[in-house]
Amino acid sequence: MIRRSLLAVVLCLVAAVPAPALAQEPARAAAPAVAVRVILETTAGTILVETDPRAPVTAANFLRYVDEGRFDGTDFYRGMELGAGTGVVQGGTANAPDRILPPIAHEPTSQTGLRHVDGALSMARFDPGTADGDFFIIVGNLPGFDAGRSAPGDAGFAVFGRVVEGMDVVRAILAAPKSPTEGEGFMRGQMLDPRVRIVSARRVETAPPPVR
């Protein structure tokens, strides 16, 4: 069974992953104090991303998946093209029961000040507070995904970081071949075929400051 993992608030942005058994209350992860860089090694190339401390709960959740190896061997499985040079590349745990953690509290862009601009990292979800292990990367600028932009009171999606290097890889994934039959309803034609494997996701080790 395939479920909507991205709320259909703008241009029917919906994820194709099975519905999880939701926790009673969204989990809150420990807040990272600084931006943290992560290397995503994929079969299409390397993507370097950076979390943003302005979205501490969402960033910490992403880093927990990284640190526990939960993204290793998962896929970028969806490329939704929304026009010339714009779209969404989605990947992550795809609700695999042995990979997902409890859902987290929603951090709207109206709270964090972050925006769905080119290279933004954001969380897939159904209702606010249901995001777990699926994320997407914005190609182009898509302000309609920000809180309150598509409809009054709309919670939007939670941006938690950005791509530092490798947007050429992201754009190649977005333009990659799609299955003509996989996906339900309007999602048909958006599922990557073949999928792009996330071989590993690792924090970038930074050198300590020089001793003076």
Side-chain angles (χ1 to χ4, degrees):
M1 180 66 66
I2 293 178
R3 65 117 166 153
R4 295 179 179 179
S5 163
L6 291 180
L7 193 63
V9 293
V10 180
L11 298 174
C12 297
L13 177 59
V14 185
V17 291
L22 298 180
Q24 292 297 316
E25 294 184 0
R28 286 189 173 273
V34 296
V36 177
R37 291 191 172 187
V38 171
I39 291 180
L40 303 176
E41 295 288 356
T42 83
T43 51
T46 301
I47 305 169
L48 176 64
V49 303
E50 183 178 80
T51 63
D52 195 306
R54 289 176 289 178
V57 172
T58 316
N61 176 70
F62 179 79
L63 292 172
R64 182 178 175 189
Y65 277 86
V66 169
D67 294 341
E68 296 182 7
R70 293 174 183 270
F71 287 139
D72 297 357
T74 61
D75 300 305
F76 283 109
Y77 54 83
R78 187 180 183 205
M80 184 174 65
E81 299 178 79
L82 299 175
T86 61
V88 170
V89 169
Q90 185 174 334
T93 58
N95 201 47
D98 59 337
R99 291 183 183 269
I100 60 170
L101 296 167
I104 58 171
H106 183 57
E107 291 179 306
T109 55
S110 56
Q111 171 184 312
T112 63
L114 300 171
R115 296 290 180 262
H116 287 87
V117 296
D118 189 49
L121 285 173
S122 192
M123 289 302 296
R125 66 171 178 82
F126 182 39
D127 294 320
T130 62
D132 44 52
D134 284 79
F135 62 94
F136 58 96
I137 302 174
I138 297 291
V139 178
N141 296 325
L142 295 174
F145 293 175
D146 294 340
R149 292 298 296 268
S150 67
D154 172 62
F157 298 94
V159 176
F160 65 94
R162 66 188 180 97
V163 174
V164 177
E165 296 177 4
M167 278 303 293
D168 57 330
V169 177
V170 176
R171 293 187 179 94
I173 295 172
L174 179 63
K178 317 292 192 305
S179 168
T181 57
E182 187 181 0
E184 294 182 353
F186 55 80
M187 293 181 292
R188 183 164 295 178
Q190 298 177 6
M191 303 300 114
L192 298 175
D193 185 20
R195 297 185 176 189
V196 174
R197 179 59 51 92
I198 301 173
V199 179
S200 67
R202 295 287 182 271
R203 292 195 193 214
V204 175
E205 296 297 331
T206 56
V211 177
R212 297 185 183 276

